[in-house]
Amino acid sequence: MARKKKELPLLSGVEITDLAAEGNALCRIDDMVMFVPFGAPGDCCTVQVVKKKRNFMQGRIVSIDRPSPMRREPFCPHFTVCGGCKWQHIPYEVQLEAKERQVTDALVRLGKVEVEEMLPIVGSERTENYRNKLEFTFSNKRWLLPEEVQAVDGDFSPEVRYGLGFHIPGMFDKVLDIRECHLGDPLTDEIRLFVREHCMRDPERYPFFDLRNQEGLMRTLMIRTTSTGEVMVVVVFFRDDVEARESLLSALRERFPAITSLLYVINTKCNDTIGDQEVLCYHGRDYIEEEMEGLGFKIGAKSFYQTNSLQAYRLYQVARDFAGLTGNELVYDLYTGTGTIANFVARRARRVIGIEYVPEAIEDARENSRLNAIENTLFYAGDMKDILTHDFIESHGRPDVIITDPPRAGMHESVVEAILFAAPERIVYVSCNPATQARDLSLLTAEGAYRVVKSRPVDMFPHTHHIENVVLLCRC
């Protein structure tokens, strides 16, 4: 006989006291921490406990009985459902304070890293319409809001069930139909809604994808924009229905002559990733071009580029300033991606060597050097721990400066060991995850080889809990 699941309590008079990790708010119940999404410090709420562990709880706000004075009206109709911008109800200056604390907690309080100077956060001038890349998913089983479930009453027609938008957090096959999104350029909304309307005029011709049953035609839509006004649209189909494809792409080209690069992919795989798929050009170029400080950067459908162009410039400025380049330095740029940082700092260095796992990204990096007539860069493709060896360092020279910008998981221990062997005067560590950054900093400073001189957060993603952080280490 199955044990009866213990009912969790409904708590009234709960006061939200702070913002916490993963975009949650925080309160304390009988000396136990409870994480609550969509709360604001100062809210007095009724909260349903949804999970109880030994040392923390998770809750859901049932009602806000007395709203916090700082609470503001969210600007997006999809707030709380989409999952993309969990802090819309929090003033931006409060978000920045919370992100500064998040970095300090990760490095100093939890990571026990000694940081000589914690510099103030660099906020974003734009807090809406700041993303240069958005990806939308087609689904024949869109997510229904509670008030919609009864209204549809078993209606499974495409008009009711089809959606084009973002995945619901934690549900791989459920997509929220997005009416408006304040993250990207307004043109992004216009293009997405046009594509949806075109397909919905003839849903039998353009069936939205069923991820579970692996059937349908329309899979995903990616839209990229640049600060120079260029636009890329990538439509991903499940099969090659030439007539339907030509009709849609032709209509897109006619309606939006501003599209610089109109591309498509036929992806017959089980998952939506296109990294291993052929990208075909329907109209225009197969790339768009971004500009930063007079440098041009070619961006293809698969290229990585920071998704907040204006803040990317500020992030790279901080990294370059920390590097303290005079023109005589040999710089290693680890996890170089498409070589954006490498090419950005090259004019102030003797030579820059970039290393990246993805071969296509390295080709982009080399092309970006050619595009800008930069002749003092070298790029290598391969797994970092396999490329950055003692032999590589001995062959290419010991770097004066290492700039490293690893993925969220941080650096492999062998990479840390290689950095310590290379023994540069300065290390500039750019991170999108202060927790793994703190772990790596502990390794770099463990034997007294380096000291952490300064740290500076840069906010790339307003209204979310995500934060980039730049740290300078100097050899002792």
Side-chain angles (χ1 to χ4, degrees), residues 307-353:
T307 52
N308 184 336
S309 298
L310 295 176
Q311 279 302 91
Y313 177 44
R314 290 182 160 198
L315 179 73
Y316 298 153
Q317 281 181 312
V318 172
R320 187 177 61 189
D321 289 347
F322 278 18
L325 302 176
T326 65
N328 298 316
E329 292 83 6
L330 172 61
V331 178
Y332 283 9
D333 181 27
L334 311 186
Y335 309 93
T336 191
T338 56
T340 314
I341 292 180
N343 286 298
F344 185 72
V345 304
R347 290 183 293 192
R348 300 192 188 181
R350 174 169 53 86
R351 179 174 290 278
V352 182
I353 297 175

Tab-separated table of all heavy atoms in Angstrom, residues 307-353:
chain	number	residue	atom	x	y	z
A	307	THR	N	24.755	38.007	-26.796
A	307	THR	CA	23.409	38.344	-27.246
A	307	THR	C	22.963	39.766	-26.889
A	307	THR	O	21.883	40.178	-27.289
A	307	THR	CB	22.385	37.340	-26.673
A	307	THR	OG1	22.559	37.248	-25.264
A	307	THR	CG2	22.563	35.976	-27.305
A	308	ASN	N	23.783	40.505	-26.149
A	308	ASN	CA	23.515	41.915	-25.881
A	308	ASN	C	24.689	42.699	-26.462
A	308	ASN	O	25.732	42.834	-25.840
A	308	ASN	CB	23.377	42.154	-24.373
A	308	ASN	CG	22.994	43.588	-24.027
A	308	ASN	OD1	23.238	44.515	-24.790
A	308	ASN	ND2	22.394	43.760	-22.856
A	309	SER	N	24.518	43.200	-27.680
A	309	SER	CA	25.635	43.799	-28.415
A	309	SER	C	26.238	44.992	-27.674
A	309	SER	O	27.466	45.121	-27.581
A	309	SER	CB	25.177	44.238	-29.808
A	309	SER	OG	24.741	43.137	-30.560
A	310	LEU	N	25.384	45.881	-27.163
A	310	LEU	CA	25.895	47.089	-26.510
A	310	LEU	C	26.662	46.742	-25.239
A	310	LEU	O	27.738	47.296	-24.971
A	310	LEU	CB	24.741	48.046	-26.196
A	310	LEU	CG	24.010	48.618	-27.418
A	310	LEU	CD1	22.824	49.466	-26.976
A	310	LEU	CD2	24.954	49.461	-28.274
A	311	GLN	N	26.143	45.804	-24.464
A	311	GLN	CA	26.826	45.418	-23.230
A	311	GLN	C	28.048	44.549	-23.504
A	311	GLN	O	28.993	44.528	-22.713
A	311	GLN	CB	25.867	44.692	-22.291
A	311	GLN	CG	24.964	45.611	-21.480
A	311	GLN	CD	25.715	46.603	-20.615
A	311	GLN	OE1	26.005	47.718	-21.033
A	311	GLN	NE2	26.043	46.206	-19.401
A	312	ALA	N	28.039	43.824	-24.624
A	312	ALA	CA	29.224	43.048	-24.999
A	312	ALA	C	30.413	43.978	-25.154
A	312	ALA	O	31.535	43.665	-24.727
A	312	ALA	CB	28.970	42.283	-26.285
A	313	TYR	N	30.181	45.134	-25.757
A	313	TYR	CA	31.251	46.118	-25.918
A	313	TYR	C	31.787	46.560	-24.554
A	313	TYR	O	32.999	46.627	-24.334
A	313	TYR	CB	30.721	47.313	-26.714
A	313	TYR	CG	31.719	48.433	-26.892
A	313	TYR	CD1	33.045	48.173	-27.239
A	313	TYR	CD2	31.339	49.767	-26.736
A	313	TYR	CE1	33.956	49.195	-27.405
A	313	TYR	CE2	32.244	50.798	-26.910
A	313	TYR	CZ	33.551	50.515	-27.244
A	313	TYR	OH	34.454	51.537	-27.404
A	314	ARG	N	30.878	46.811	-23.613
A	314	ARG	CA	31.317	47.212	-22.271
A	314	ARG	C	32.055	46.079	-21.565
A	314	ARG	O	33.042	46.303	-20.871
A	314	ARG	CB	30.102	47.651	-21.441
A	314	ARG	CG	29.488	48.958	-21.905
A	314	ARG	CD	28.333	49.353	-21.001
A	314	ARG	NE	28.054	50.775	-21.119
A	314	ARG	CZ	27.355	51.480	-20.223
A	314	ARG	NH1	26.865	50.860	-19.156
A	314	ARG	NH2	27.136	52.755	-20.395
A	315	LEU	N	31.563	44.848	-21.729
A	315	LEU	CA	32.218	43.685	-21.127
A	315	LEU	C	33.646	43.553	-21.638
A	315	LEU	O	34.592	43.358	-20.868
A	315	LEU	CB	31.417	42.420	-21.448
A	315	LEU	CG	31.981	41.100	-20.919
A	315	LEU	CD1	31.798	41.011	-19.411
A	315	LEU	CD2	31.287	39.915	-21.607
A	316	TYR	N	33.812	43.669	-22.951
A	316	TYR	CA	35.147	43.522	-23.542
A	316	TYR	C	36.049	44.700	-23.179
A	316	TYR	O	37.265	44.535	-23.060
A	316	TYR	CB	35.038	43.362	-25.057
A	316	TYR	CG	34.277	42.136	-25.491
A	316	TYR	CD1	33.608	42.081	-26.707
A	316	TYR	CD2	34.204	41.013	-24.669
A	316	TYR	CE1	32.905	40.954	-27.096
A	316	TYR	CE2	33.504	39.884	-25.046
A	316	TYR	CZ	32.854	39.866	-26.260
A	316	TYR	OH	32.157	38.735	-26.626
A	317	GLN	N	35.468	45.876	-22.989
A	317	GLN	CA	36.260	47.011	-22.522
A	317	GLN	C	36.834	46.739	-21.131
A	317	GLN	O	38.010	47.016	-20.869
A	317	GLN	CB	35.411	48.286	-22.480
A	317	GLN	CG	35.209	48.969	-23.817
A	317	GLN	CD	34.378	50.239	-23.673
A	317	GLN	OE1	33.331	50.234	-23.029
A	317	GLN	NE2	34.850	51.314	-24.269
A	318	VAL	N	36.000	46.196	-20.241
A	318	VAL	CA	36.465	45.864	-18.896
A	318	VAL	C	37.586	44.828	-18.973
A	318	VAL	O	38.630	44.971	-18.328
A	318	VAL	CB	35.302	45.350	-18.015
A	318	VAL	CG1	35.828	44.824	-16.675
A	318	VAL	CG2	34.279	46.453	-17.782
A	319	ALA	N	37.384	43.790	-19.790
A	319	ALA	CA	38.405	42.743	-19.922
A	319	ALA	C	39.706	43.321	-20.470
A	319	ALA	O	40.799	42.993	-19.979
A	319	ALA	CB	37.888	41.633	-20.831
A	320	ARG	N	39.610	44.176	-21.468
A	320	ARG	CA	40.815	44.768	-22.056
A	320	ARG	C	41.520	45.698	-21.065
A	320	ARG	O	42.749	45.691	-20.970
A	320	ARG	CB	40.452	45.522	-23.338
A	320	ARG	CG	41.660	46.031	-24.119
A	320	ARG	CD	41.226	46.694	-25.414
A	320	ARG	NE	40.364	47.849	-25.180
A	320	ARG	CZ	39.707	48.488	-26.136
A	320	ARG	NH1	39.802	48.061	-27.394
A	320	ARG	NH2	38.938	49.525	-25.863
A	321	ASP	N	40.738	46.473	-20.333
A	321	ASP	CA	41.345	47.358	-19.320
A	321	ASP	C	42.069	46.544	-18.257
A	321	ASP	O	43.182	46.896	-17.838
A	321	ASP	CB	40.272	48.236	-18.669
A	321	ASP	CG	39.734	49.301	-19.612
A	321	ASP	OD1	40.348	49.526	-20.680
A	321	ASP	OD2	38.678	49.882	-19.299
A	322	PHE	N	41.423	45.440	-17.811
A	322	PHE	CA	42.056	44.584	-16.799
A	322	PHE	C	43.359	43.977	-17.329
A	322	PHE	O	44.308	43.775	-16.576
A	322	PHE	CB	41.101	43.464	-16.384
A	322	PHE	CG	40.076	43.865	-15.346
A	322	PHE	CD1	39.778	45.201	-15.095
A	322	PHE	CD2	39.397	42.902	-14.609
A	322	PHE	CE1	38.837	45.562	-14.148
A	322	PHE	CE2	38.452	43.251	-13.651
A	322	PHE	CZ	38.177	44.592	-13.428
A	323	ALA	N	43.401	43.684	-18.638
A	323	ALA	CA	44.584	43.046	-19.221
A	323	ALA	C	45.799	43.970	-19.218
A	323	ALA	O	46.944	43.489	-19.255
A	323	ALA	CB	44.275	42.589	-20.646
A	324	GLY	N	45.563	45.282	-19.179
A	324	GLY	CA	46.666	46.242	-19.083
A	324	GLY	C	47.650	46.144	-20.231
A	324	GLY	O	48.875	46.173	-20.024
A	325	LEU	N	47.154	46.054	-21.455
A	325	LEU	CA	48.014	45.842	-22.616
A	325	LEU	C	48.743	47.122	-23.034
A	325	LEU	O	48.166	48.216	-23.021
A	325	LEU	CB	47.187	45.306	-23.789
A	325	LEU	CG	46.427	44.002	-23.520
A	325	LEU	CD1	45.575	43.625	-24.721
A	325	LEU	CD2	47.395	42.875	-23.169
A	326	THR	N	50.001	46.952	-23.432
A	326	THR	CA	50.831	48.081	-23.870
A	326	THR	C	51.252	47.959	-25.334
A	326	THR	O	51.847	48.882	-25.884
A	326	THR	CB	52.110	48.168	-23.012
A	326	THR	OG1	52.903	46.995	-23.256
A	326	THR	CG2	51.775	48.263	-21.536
A	327	GLY	N	50.962	46.827	-25.967
A	327	GLY	CA	51.378	46.605	-27.342
A	327	GLY	C	52.500	45.597	-27.473
A	327	GLY	O	52.846	45.177	-28.582
A	328	ASN	N	53.089	45.191	-26.361
A	328	ASN	CA	54.238	44.279	-26.398
A	328	ASN	C	53.903	42.862	-25.938
A	328	ASN	O	54.783	41.995	-25.942
A	328	ASN	CB	55.370	44.831	-25.510
A	328	ASN	CG	55.870	46.176	-26.009
A	328	ASN	OD1	56.067	46.353	-27.201
A	328	ASN	ND2	56.049	47.116	-25.089
A	329	GLU	N	52.668	42.620	-25.540
A	329	GLU	CA	52.324	41.363	-24.873
A	329	GLU	C	51.937	40.247	-25.845
A	329	GLU	O	51.301	40.488	-26.877
A	329	GLU	CB	51.161	41.572	-23.890
A	329	GLU	CG	51.498	42.419	-22.676
A	329	GLU	CD	51.405	43.908	-22.959
A	329	GLU	OE1	50.962	44.283	-24.081
A	329	GLU	OE2	51.762	44.696	-22.077
A	330	LEU	N	52.301	39.025	-25.468
A	330	LEU	CA	51.744	37.815	-26.078
A	330	LEU	C	50.532	37.424	-25.245
A	330	LEU	O	50.640	37.209	-24.028
A	330	LEU	CB	52.768	36.679	-26.080
A	330	LEU	CG	52.246	35.299	-26.522
A	330	LEU	CD1	51.714	35.333	-27.949
A	330	LEU	CD2	53.324	34.231	-26.355
A	331	VAL	N	49.369	37.349	-25.891
A	331	VAL	CA	48.109	37.073	-25.198
A	331	VAL	C	47.549	35.740	-25.681
A	331	VAL	O	47.498	35.480	-26.885
A	331	VAL	CB	47.072	38.193	-25.461
A	331	VAL	CG1	45.748	37.878	-24.768
A	331	VAL	CG2	47.604	39.548	-25.014
A	332	TYR	N	47.154	34.891	-24.723
A	332	TYR	CA	46.376	33.697	-25.049
A	332	TYR	C	44.913	34.013	-24.729
A	332	TYR	O	44.603	34.457	-23.618
A	332	TYR	CB	46.804	32.500	-24.204
A	332	TYR	CG	48.090	31.824	-24.627
A	332	TYR	CD1	48.938	32.365	-25.589
A	332	TYR	CD2	48.459	30.609	-24.049
A	332	TYR	CE1	50.107	31.733	-25.959
A	332	TYR	CE2	49.632	29.955	-24.410
A	332	TYR	CZ	50.453	30.533	-25.364
A	332	TYR	OH	51.618	29.904	-25.732
A	333	ASP	N	44.032	33.762	-25.696
A	333	ASP	CA	42.595	33.946	-25.486
A	333	ASP	C	41.940	32.570	-25.501
A	333	ASP	O	41.754	31.970	-26.568
A	333	ASP	CB	42.009	34.846	-26.581
A	333	ASP	CG	40.516	35.086	-26.407
A	333	ASP	OD1	40.045	35.026	-25.256
A	333	ASP	OD2	39.821	35.331	-27.416
A	334	LEU	N	41.620	32.064	-24.312
A	334	LEU	CA	41.064	30.718	-24.178
A	334	LEU	C	39.542	30.751	-24.322
A	334	LEU	O	38.898	31.668	-23.835
A	334	LEU	CB	41.450	30.112	-22.832
A	334	LEU	CG	42.933	30.202	-22.437
A	334	LEU	CD1	43.184	29.439	-21.154
A	334	LEU	CD2	43.841	29.690	-23.555
A	335	TYR	N	38.987	29.712	-24.971
A	335	TYR	CA	37.555	29.650	-25.273
A	335	TYR	C	37.186	30.879	-26.121
A	335	TYR	O	36.221	31.586	-25.837
A	335	TYR	CB	36.720	29.600	-23.996
A	335	TYR	CG	37.157	28.549	-23.005
A	335	TYR	CD1	38.057	28.870	-21.981
A	335	TYR	CD2	36.701	27.241	-23.081
A	335	TYR	CE1	38.483	27.913	-21.066
A	335	TYR	CE2	37.117	26.276	-22.172
A	335	TYR	CZ	38.013	26.621	-21.163
A	335	TYR	OH	38.431	25.667	-20.271
A	336	THR	N	37.947	31.086	-27.191
A	336	THR	CA	37.857	32.329	-27.964
A	336	THR	C	36.579	32.459	-28.776
A	336	THR	O	36.242	33.545	-29.227
A	336	THR	CB	39.084	32.454	-28.893
A	336	THR	OG1	39.131	33.760	-29.451
A	336	THR	CG2	39.050	31.429	-30.013
A	337	GLY	N	35.845	31.343	-28.988
A	337	GLY	CA	34.618	31.427	-29.785
A	337	GLY	C	34.942	31.874	-31.200
A	337	GLY	O	35.816	31.321	-31.867
A	338	THR	N	34.250	32.909	-31.666
A	338	THR	CA	34.504	33.440	-33.008
A	338	THR	C	35.593	34.510	-32.985
A	338	THR	O	35.700	35.313	-33.924
A	338	THR	CB	33.215	34.016	-33.622
A	338	THR	OG1	32.672	35.004	-32.734
A	338	THR	CG2	32.189	32.928	-33.849
A	339	GLY	N	36.386	34.527	-31.914
A	339	GLY	CA	37.535	35.419	-31.848
A	339	GLY	C	37.196	36.871	-31.557
A	339	GLY	O	37.997	37.768	-31.839
A	340	THR	N	36.025	37.110	-30.967
A	340	THR	CA	35.617	38.500	-30.727
A	340	THR	C	36.581	39.206	-29.785
A	340	THR	O	37.068	40.305	-30.084
A	340	THR	CB	34.184	38.549	-30.150
A	340	THR	OG1	33.344	37.680	-30.899
A	340	THR	CG2	33.635	39.959	-30.220
A	341	ILE	N	36.864	38.592	-28.631
A	341	ILE	CA	37.799	39.219	-27.688
A	341	ILE	C	39.193	39.278	-28.295
A	341	ILE	O	39.883	40.307	-28.201
A	341	ILE	CB	37.815	38.464	-26.346
A	341	ILE	CG1	36.477	38.624	-25.606
A	341	ILE	CG2	38.954	38.967	-25.455
A	341	ILE	CD1	36.416	37.909	-24.267
A	342	ALA	N	39.641	38.192	-28.928
A	342	ALA	CA	40.986	38.148	-29.508
A	342	ALA	C	41.195	39.281	-30.498
A	342	ALA	O	42.216	40.000	-30.449
A	342	ALA	CB	41.215	36.800	-30.189
A	343	ASN	N	40.243	39.481	-31.399
A	343	ASN	CA	40.375	40.552	-32.389
A	343	ASN	C	40.185	41.927	-31.755
A	343	ASN	O	40.785	42.909	-32.210
A	343	ASN	CB	39.369	40.343	-33.522
A	343	ASN	CG	39.774	39.217	-34.455
A	343	ASN	OD1	40.809	39.279	-35.099
A	343	ASN	ND2	38.964	38.165	-34.511
A	344	PHE	N	39.381	41.992	-30.713
A	344	PHE	CA	39.130	43.262	-30.029
A	344	PHE	C	40.392	43.781	-29.334
A	344	PHE	O	40.633	44.982	-29.295
A	344	PHE	CB	37.991	43.070	-29.014
A	344	PHE	CG	37.558	44.330	-28.327
A	344	PHE	CD1	36.837	45.300	-29.003
A	344	PHE	CD2	37.864	44.556	-26.987
A	344	PHE	CE1	36.426	46.465	-28.367
A	344	PHE	CE2	37.463	45.711	-26.344
A	344	PHE	CZ	36.738	46.673	-27.033
A	345	VAL	N	41.208	42.870	-28.785
A	345	VAL	CA	42.404	43.304	-28.051
A	345	VAL	C	43.664	43.291	-28.919
A	345	VAL	O	44.718	43.769	-28.489
A	345	VAL	CB	42.651	42.433	-26.788
A	345	VAL	CG1	41.428	42.438	-25.889
A	345	VAL	CG2	43.051	41.007	-27.153
A	346	ALA	N	43.559	42.747	-30.137
A	346	ALA	CA	44.763	42.510	-30.952
A	346	ALA	C	45.535	43.783	-31.261
A	346	ALA	O	46.773	43.762	-31.352
A	346	ALA	CB	44.371	41.802	-32.251
A	347	ARG	N	44.827	44.903	-31.420
A	347	ARG	CA	45.518	46.143	-31.775
A	347	ARG	C	46.398	46.662	-30.644
A	347	ARG	O	47.229	47.534	-30.863
A	347	ARG	CB	44.488	47.212	-32.175
A	347	ARG	CG	43.802	46.926	-33.502
A	347	ARG	CD	42.840	48.009	-33.923
A	347	ARG	NE	41.672	48.102	-33.056
A	347	ARG	CZ	40.581	48.815	-33.335
A	347	ARG	NH1	40.520	49.497	-34.465
A	347	ARG	NH2	39.566	48.859	-32.505
A	348	ARG	N	46.191	46.124	-29.440
A	348	ARG	CA	46.991	46.577	-28.295
A	348	ARG	C	47.929	45.481	-27.791
A	348	ARG	O	48.419	45.557	-26.662
A	348	ARG	CB	46.076	47.041	-27.164
A	348	ARG	CG	45.172	48.201	-27.560
A	348	ARG	CD	44.496	48.813	-26.361
A	348	ARG	NE	43.505	49.795	-26.749
A	348	ARG	CZ	42.775	50.507	-25.896
A	348	ARG	NH1	42.950	50.321	-24.589
A	348	ARG	NH2	41.893	51.376	-26.314
A	349	ALA	N	48.160	44.450	-28.610
A	349	ALA	CA	49.026	43.336	-28.211
A	349	ALA	C	50.021	43.037	-29.336
A	349	ALA	O	49.810	43.391	-30.496
A	349	ALA	CB	48.197	42.100	-27.905
A	350	ARG	N	51.117	42.373	-28.976
A	350	ARG	CA	52.081	41.945	-29.986
A	350	ARG	C	51.505	40.793	-30.799
A	350	ARG	O	51.615	40.775	-32.019
A	350	ARG	CB	53.391	41.531	-29.295
A	350	ARG	CG	54.432	40.919	-30.224
A	350	ARG	CD	55.780	40.789	-29.531
A	350	ARG	NE	55.696	40.077	-28.264
A	350	ARG	CZ	55.749	38.749	-28.148
A	350	ARG	NH1	55.858	37.983	-29.228
A	350	ARG	NH2	55.689	38.186	-26.952
A	351	ARG	N	50.938	39.807	-30.116
A	351	ARG	CA	50.305	38.675	-30.780
A	351	ARG	C	49.223	38.105	-29.873
A	351	ARG	O	49.376	38.109	-28.646
A	351	ARG	CB	51.330	37.591	-31.124
A	351	ARG	CG	50.723	36.363	-31.804
A	351	ARG	CD	51.778	35.376	-32.260
A	351	ARG	NE	52.542	35.883	-33.377
A	351	ARG	CZ	52.135	35.836	-34.653
A	351	ARG	NH1	50.964	35.307	-34.944
A	351	ARG	NH2	52.890	36.300	-35.621
A	352	VAL	N	48.144	37.616	-30.491
A	352	VAL	CA	47.059	36.973	-29.746
A	352	VAL	C	46.843	35.584	-30.324
A	352	VAL	O	46.682	35.419	-31.536
A	352	VAL	CB	45.744	37.774	-29.819
A	352	VAL	CG1	44.662	37.091	-28.977
A	352	VAL	CG2	45.940	39.210	-29.355
A	353	ILE	N	46.835	34.592	-29.448
A	353	ILE	CA	46.568	33.205	-29.849
A	353	ILE	C	45.246	32.771	-29.229
A	353	ILE	O	45.088	32.770	-28.005
A	353	ILE	CB	47.705	32.265	-29.392
A	353	ILE	CG1	49.021	32.666	-30.081
A	353	ILE	CG2	47.358	30.812	-29.700
A	353	ILE	CD1	50.220	31.886	-29.603
